[in-house]
Amino acid sequence: MRFVLNGCFAAAIHYAVYCCCQFFLEVNVSYAIGYLVSFVVNYFTTTYFTFRKQPSWRHFIGFCGSHGVNLLLHVLLFWCMMQLGVNRFIAPFIVMGIAMIIQFLILRVVYRK
């Protein structure tokens, strides 16, 4: 449940930054910037709130690796949504829903001893 709450919080940050950046940047660049901002917040909230651990290099490296996979998944899925003609304000919700499930599975491995 904590992972879902944290994921929703990170997704809200991502979406808010994405929407704000669209006023002056291209849609794909806006999406990437939103992702990066939410990444920073998400690392700390995942570490402290979701898994109740202290930050460490091992967690940080694992988190970055899992988010590398997640970022590629986001870019690919978002591009597919744009190609399919999905509304640019709805597409992020679909992408984030799919990516959140995969991200949880990866991070469970990272934060286990």
Side-chain angles (χ1 to χ4, degrees):
M1 184 52 102
R2 289 188 310 264
F3 184 84
V4 171
L5 290 173
N6 185 54
C8 290
F9 179 65
I13 291 170
H14 183 177
Y15 190 73
V17 171
Y18 162 72
C19 288
C20 291
C21 287
Q22 285 187 55
F23 289 111
F24 53 91
L25 295 171
E26 192 266 333
V27 67
N28 289 301
V29 174
S30 299
Y31 194 81
I33 290 171
Y35 184 91
L36 293 174
V37 170
S38 73
F39 172 84
V40 172
V41 173
N42 197 4
Y43 171 69
F44 289 104
T45 57
T46 295
T47 300
Y48 287 117
F49 176 69
T50 303
F51 292 103
R52 298 181 183 201
K53 303 284 184 177
Q54 292 296 313
S56 71
W57 282 109
R58 180 183 159 281
H59 294 153
F60 181 71
I61 291 168
F63 190 84
C64 288
S66 73
H67 271 273
V69 170
N70 197 24
L71 178 59
L72 291 175
L73 184 61
H74 270 259
V75 169
L76 178 64
L77 289 172
F78 188 73
W79 179 83
C80 288
M81 294 294 137
M82 294 297 98
Q83 297 305 307
L84 291 171
V86 176
N87 181 286
R88 67 183 183 162
F89 292 103
I90 294 178
F93 291 107
I94 297 168
V95 171
M96 289 176 197
I98 294 167
M100 188 183 296
I101 294 166
I102 295 168
Q103 184 73 358
F104 175 74
L105 297 173
I106 295 170
L107 286 175
R108 278 187 71 188
V109 173
V110 168
Y111 282 93
R112 284 193 173 168
K113 289 186 179 182

